[in-house]
Amino acid sequence: MAVAEIVDDRAALVAALEALDTRLRWLSAWTIHNANHLRDSRDGLKVGGHQASCASMTAIMAALYFHVLRPQDRVAVKPHAGPVLHAIHYLLGQQSVEQLQAFRGFGGAQSYPSRTKDRIPVDFSTGSVGLGVAVTAFAALMQDYLIAHGQLAEAEAGRMIALMGDAELDEGNIYECLIEGYKHDLRNCWWIVDYNRQSLDSTTADRMFRRFDDIFETCGWRVLTLRHGKKLQAAFRKPGGQALQDWIENCPNADYAVLTYQGGSAWRARLLADLAGDAAACALIEAHDDEALAALMTNLGGHCIETLLDAFETAAADDRPTVFIAYTIKGMGLPFAGHKDNHAGLMNPSQIAGLRERLGIAEGEEWDPWAGLGDNVAAELKALVSRSALAARGPEPEAARVAVPAIPVPTGAEQATQAGFGRILLDLAKSGAPLADRIVTTSPDVTVSTNLGGFVNARGLFRRQELKDVFAGAKIPSPQKWAGHAAGQHVELGIAENNLFLVLGAAGLTGPLFGTRLLPIGTVYDPFISRGLDALNYACYQDARFLLVATPSGLTLGPEGGAHQSINTPLIGMGQPGLTAFEPAFVDELAAMMGWAFAHMQAEDGGSVYLRLTTRAIPQPTRADDSWREGALKGGYWLRAPAADTRLALVFSGAVAPEVMAAAEALAEDVPGLGVLNVTSADLLHRGWSAARAGRWRGGQSVPSHVETLLGALPASAGLATVLDGSPSALSWLGGVRGQRVSPLGIDRFGQTGDLPDLYREYRLDSDAIIEAAADLLA
């Protein structure tokens, strides 16, 4: 058969894709089997790999990757179908056998698709269920943003596609995303549900049938339900077929799974018993032997290539968001298909051998991508694979860097870093600098209260359709003059922090995904970072680049009470890989950090940045020169240099600077040469210290870290009184650098309402508490 016939002839195309479906099922199952049964195990731990979850997806992925996808389309693959993605790239010649053999091993193919750790092209990392689904919707929104701003041609728009397990529909972030997508008129987004009706612990509740349809339809999505394959549809048209269809559609999910596992004889017994009064239906059942009957009853839409192609072609006719509910069998084609425990199940050696023999694969040829097919069929499949869009797609584009101008420092004797942030952004918006055109801001309904309002006034809300400011039109005075239009640069979100971090993640990937770099800035109340922590981690894991501004922080938002006062966020900033955390005390530090952040977000070895800011206005220092700047960007500097023989240093971060300086003045006579260390980034100091120690352990060059250099200005016997408006653990570790005694102050219990004098006294952040902490060290 000629290559052209494979592509042009529908029956031949279906046959070829069915063969690729079988090939993907084998390669994914063998990869997992090798990792669990053949590869040496040094620790005795189960490797795992989800053979059943892969098997339910192979037909969907064969049709999608080898016929439907275009070069500009992007896909987030169901985490447990990661081995199928590796098998696809193996057939494409883009994955090595060594990587498959090292699946879930050190340096091998990753357990779940990873942009940063896998060697194959991965559009979106997945792993934390539900987040890889939702990010595709926000990637589609960012694609529309680029199109509206003339940075991407409409003709180059791709579909953002998520392959998801039906258990992921239990994740709340899915529905938060649906609501936000509806607000923003989402388009060019497909979600394909592997509706195998089994999760790790249970079978999907039957009463959820039609509920998912209702939810998606309400949010403006087209719902295409792929319940029955072509063989079943043909059977339904025969005498007795309507009764068979009614039986199937009323059969409980758990019963269907049991019968699938038991096989043809069990199907026959149950169907003949339940349909005993319908002679035509019983005759239809008896017209099939056990093997054929089992094949018929498991011919669901998600395993039928023809049904899948019909559905994909229907949706491809326009850009409407579409969810495909593809009914499948978990473990399809494997010995434990339908078994309730198959989620983590593994085929044993005899079962995998039986599968290999059924496929005609000779022992020793298991890794041959086309083994058991014959030369002609193999050549035809190779040709089809080579003609797929994925084979033609080049490497991810390199987005040009955007020049970072000098960031001017707002003036004022007393300033809060939150207000300074808003002023800096407004000045940038008015500057005409190219950098300002690449900034996109977003916030979960706290735009005004985090000082983004000025930027939005200057640059507008992003809307694909114009949204007039009705209050301005009615000449009602308001400081917020927000009109929505295609040129707007602020993405307005509802109160859902998961959505915030997913938008930041999607916007922070526009460079590699679309070839145009955006510099996303998201603001949130500092305590509510925790609400979206999984999504924040997910965004950082795939190396999305963004600036997170969290404000107000700590007890400084006194009248709001404990629910709005953050405690552990400095520790989150220190512990989150891919995110560099700063807590500036002064506005000139903030300006320097924002300039650093814009460059770091674009650097090859860069990442995202977190600024913990405050609404508390404090006196700004008078600087003799810029000598502080380098230290501030490395994590800390001496605001008051210590004497070589001093017995004490006060160490602080952020808004407590006035209390620290007041305590320093009170202690000056008793502690000559007392030093005051301003820690601008406990994260950078700790990271640098850890790296230096690791370098010494590995026998590398011994270069002192910045924190070692800073504390080296003190005698080893000097004590450290540390204080910040947050968890004391964020600074108390400093005593471990040189073995110095530490008296730590900070917040380790829930706050309450009050003004700052009362709160700082109650929670031991005032100057009296700092003096007492110093006295403990001196005693």
Side-chain angles (χ1 to χ4, degrees):
M1 183 181 297
V3 170
E5 291 178 299
I6 295 177
V7 175
D8 296 336
D9 183 87
R10 184 72 164 197
L13 172 63
V14 168
L17 292 173
E18 288 173 343
L20 290 170
D21 168 21
T22 303
R23 186 62 23 180
L24 295 178
R25 187 179 303 117
W26 163 255
L27 285 172
S28 58
W30 180 253
T31 297
I32 297 166
H33 179 79
N34 177 78
N36 287 274
H37 292 285
L38 303 181
R39 196 170 69 211
D40 288 341
S41 174
R42 296 182 297 176
D43 54 19
L45 296 177
K46 175 184 174 181
V47 177
H50 305 286
Q51 288 173 329
S53 293
C54 288
S56 62
M57 284 291 294
T58 51
I60 293 170
M61 293 179 71
L64 192 68
Y65 276 86
F66 296 123
H67 183 66
V68 176
L69 287 184
R70 304 165 301 169
Q72 66 267 41
D73 296 335
R74 297 289 181 265
V75 185
V77 174
K78 183 181 82 167
H80 294 155
V84 182
L85 182 65
H86 289 288
I88 286 170
H89 285 281
Y90 187 55
L91 296 183
L92 286 161
Q94 298 170 354
Q95 178 61 289
S96 68
V97 68
E98 291 79 15
Q99 281 281 293
L100 295 184
Q101 290 171 338
F103 171 65
R104 291 198 171 200
F106 186 74
Q110 297 297 295
S111 310
Y112 309 121
S114 172
R115 284 186 55 82
T116 57
K117 299 184 183 299
D118 271 316
R119 298 184 187 178
I120 61 171
V122 173
D123 297 324
F124 301 99
S125 298
T126 53
S128 185
V129 294
L131 297 179
V133 177
V135 77
T136 59
F138 294 118
L141 176 61
M142 287 299 103
Q143 179 177 248
D144 277 341
Y145 181 96
L146 293 175
I147 291 170
H149 286 76
Q151 295 165 344
L152 184 71
E154 178 74 48
E156 295 176 7
R159 286 184 282 267
M160 303 297 114
I161 301 171
L163 304 176
M164 61 192 293
D166 54 343
E168 292 186 81
L169 289 168
D170 290 339
E171 287 285 348
N173 73 81
I174 295 287
Y175 304 100
E176 292 179 348
C177 169
L178 282 178
I179 293 169
E180 205 61 64
Y182 182 75
K183 295 178 189 175
H184 288 277
D185 194 19
L186 179 69
R187 60 179 188 146
N188 287 318
C189 189
W190 287 4
W191 289 357
I192 304 170
V193 182
D194 171 15
Y195 198 55
N196 60 46
R197 289 148 293 147
Q198 285 182 253
S199 62
L200 176 60
D201 290 334
S202 63
T203 304
T204 302
D206 297 287
R207 67 197 307 264
M208 290 309 297
F209 179 65
R210 275 297 304 168
R211 297 289 74 73
F212 293 130
D213 309 48
D214 291 345
I215 292 168
F216 278 91
E217 288 167 353
T218 298
C219 290
W221 288 57
R222 170 173 45 214
V223 178
L224 297 178
T225 301
L226 289 63
R227 186 159 192 174
H228 309 297
K230 296 294 185 180
K231 290 179 182 178
L232 267 177
Q233 293 175 43
F236 296 157
R237 293 191 291 270
K238 295 179 180 179
Q242 185 61 55
L244 177 62
Q245 181 175 359
D246 292 343
W247 184 93
I248 289 174
E249 295 186 355
N250 287 287
C251 180
N253 289 336
D255 288 12
Y256 213 91
V258 167
L259 293 168
T260 296
Y261 178 71
Q262 292 176 318
S265 60
W267 280 115
R268 184 179 308 282
R270 176 67 179 271
L271 288 168
L272 291 178
D274 289 355
L275 300 175
D278 191 323
C282 290
L284 178 60
I285 302 305
E286 294 288 27
H288 298 78
D289 62 21
D290 283 352
E291 183 178 354
L293 183 58
L296 176 67
M297 296 303 290
T298 56
N299 178 235
L300 303 184
H303 297 301
C304 177
I305 295 294
E306 287 184 86
T307 300
L308 288 164
L309 292 181
D310 288 348
F312 291 148
E313 288 164 2
T314 295
D318 56 43
D319 60 11
R320 185 179 174 188
T322 302
V323 61
F324 305 82
I325 300 179
Y327 277 69
T328 61
I329 300 293
K330 193 161 187 171
M332 180 67 171
L334 304 183
F336 43 52
H339 195 290
K340 72 182 183 68
D341 298 331
N342 66 13
H343 181 85
L346 295 169
M347 284 185 281
N348 61 38
S350 62
Q351 289 173 325
I352 198 81
L355 179 61
R356 185 188 64 234
E357 290 169 7
R358 287 197 301 275
L359 297 178
I361 298 172
E363 192 169 356
E365 295 183 357
E366 292 89 351
W367 292 110
D368 184 334
W370 311 105
L373 292 176
D375 292 342
N376 290 338
V377 175
E380 292 163 0
L381 294 182
K382 287 180 188 178
L384 179 59
V385 168
S386 68
R387 292 168 65 97
S388 66
L390 204 61
R393 187 202 287 183
E396 287 189 334
E398 289 282 341
R401 295 191 185 183
V402 184
V404 180
I407 305 296
V409 179
T411 57
E414 285 198 1
Q415 297 189 69
T417 50
Q418 175 179 307
F421 162 73
R423 180 58 188 271
I424 289 169
L425 267 192
L426 178 58
D427 289 345
L428 272 174
K430 294 178 176 179
S431 69
L435 177 81
D437 295 333
R438 296 302 181 92
I439 290 173
V440 54
T441 61
T442 186
S443 187
D445 202 40
V446 290
T447 302
V448 175
S449 51
T450 55
N451 279 72
L452 270 180
F455 182 85
V456 180
N457 281 348
R459 294 285 176 147
L461 299 172
F462 170 64
R463 288 286 191 276
R464 286 200 296 120
Q465 288 80 34
E466 186 174 356
L467 178 69
K468 295 185 181 298
D469 185 338
V470 177
F471 278 76
K475 298 183 179 180
I476 298 174
S478 169
Q480 315 307 328
K481 301 172 177 62
W482 294 3
H485 46 78
Q489 290 179 233
H490 178 74
V491 177
E492 194 174 25
L493 298 175
I495 310 172
E497 282 75 13
N498 263 292
N499 284 343
L500 167 72
F501 291 119
L502 289 170
V503 169
L504 289 175
L509 287 174
T510 55
L513 290 180
F514 306 116
T516 298
R517 188 188 305 276
L518 293 177
L519 297 171
I521 300 174
T523 64
V524 65
Y525 284 178
D526 193 62
F528 301 146
I529 287 177
S530 299
R531 286 184 179 176
L533 199 52
D534 192 18
L536 169 61
N537 181 68
Y538 170 70
C540 292
Y541 178 69
Q542 55 185 339
D543 197 26
R545 306 294 182 84
F546 53 87
L547 175 59
L548 170 64
V549 177
T551 180
S553 61
L555 291 172
T556 55
L557 193 63
E560 292 284 352
H564 282 67
Q565 294 164 353
S566 56
I567 298 171
N568 68 332
T569 48
L571 300 179
I572 292 173
M574 291 178 68
Q576 178 60 58
L579 185 72
T580 300
F582 288 97
E583 183 162 1
F586 307 116
V587 172
D588 57 357
E589 296 170 358
L590 170 65
M593 290 166 188
M594 288 182 68
W596 185 91
F598 289 133
H600 186 66
M601 289 159 64
Q602 303 181 70
E604 185 174 347
D605 60 347
S608 294
V609 179
Y610 160 34
L611 300 178
R612 188 175 190 252
L613 307 184
T614 177
T615 50
R616 187 188 187 195
I618 64 174
Q620 301 297 293
T622 300
R623 309 284 196 185
D625 52 42
D626 285 342
S627 58
W628 59 272
R629 184 184 177 94
E630 180 182 359
L633 295 178
K634 293 167 69 174
Y637 66 97
W638 287 104
L639 190 60
R640 178 177 293 185
D645 59 350
T646 189
R647 294 181 293 157
L648 177 69
L650 305 183
V651 184
F652 78 97
S653 287
V656 294
E659 285 67 33
V660 172
M661 297 310 296
E665 292 300 325
L667 290 165
E669 185 175 344
D670 294 330
V671 190
L674 174 147
V676 178
L677 179 59
N678 181 0
V679 175
T680 55
S681 175
D683 180 22
L684 282 178
L685 291 185
H686 191 274
R687 198 186 314 166
W689 180 48
S690 297
R693 296 169 73 212
R696 289 193 286 270
W697 295 335
R698 297 186 181 114
Q701 186 177 2
S702 180
V703 178
S705 64
H706 184 54
V707 69
E708 290 171 307
T709 301
L710 286 171
L711 295 181
L714 296 169
S717 59
L720 305 176
T722 64
V723 56
L724 77 160
D725 192 351
S727 172
S729 302
L731 295 180
S732 63
W733 63 271
L734 289 167
V737 176
R738 301 181 68 220
Q740 293 168 288
R741 292 175 302 127
V742 174
S743 183
L745 299 175
I747 309 300
D748 56 9
R749 52 200 170 107
F750 289 115
Q752 57 188 293
T753 57
D755 63 12
L756 284 188
D758 283 344
L759 292 176
Y760 274 24
R761 181 176 59 255
E762 171 67 20
Y763 291 89
R764 293 185 53 76
L765 292 178
D766 61 2
S767 57
D768 288 344
I770 297 169
I771 293 168
E772 290 170 8
D776 288 344
L777 293 167
L778 296 174

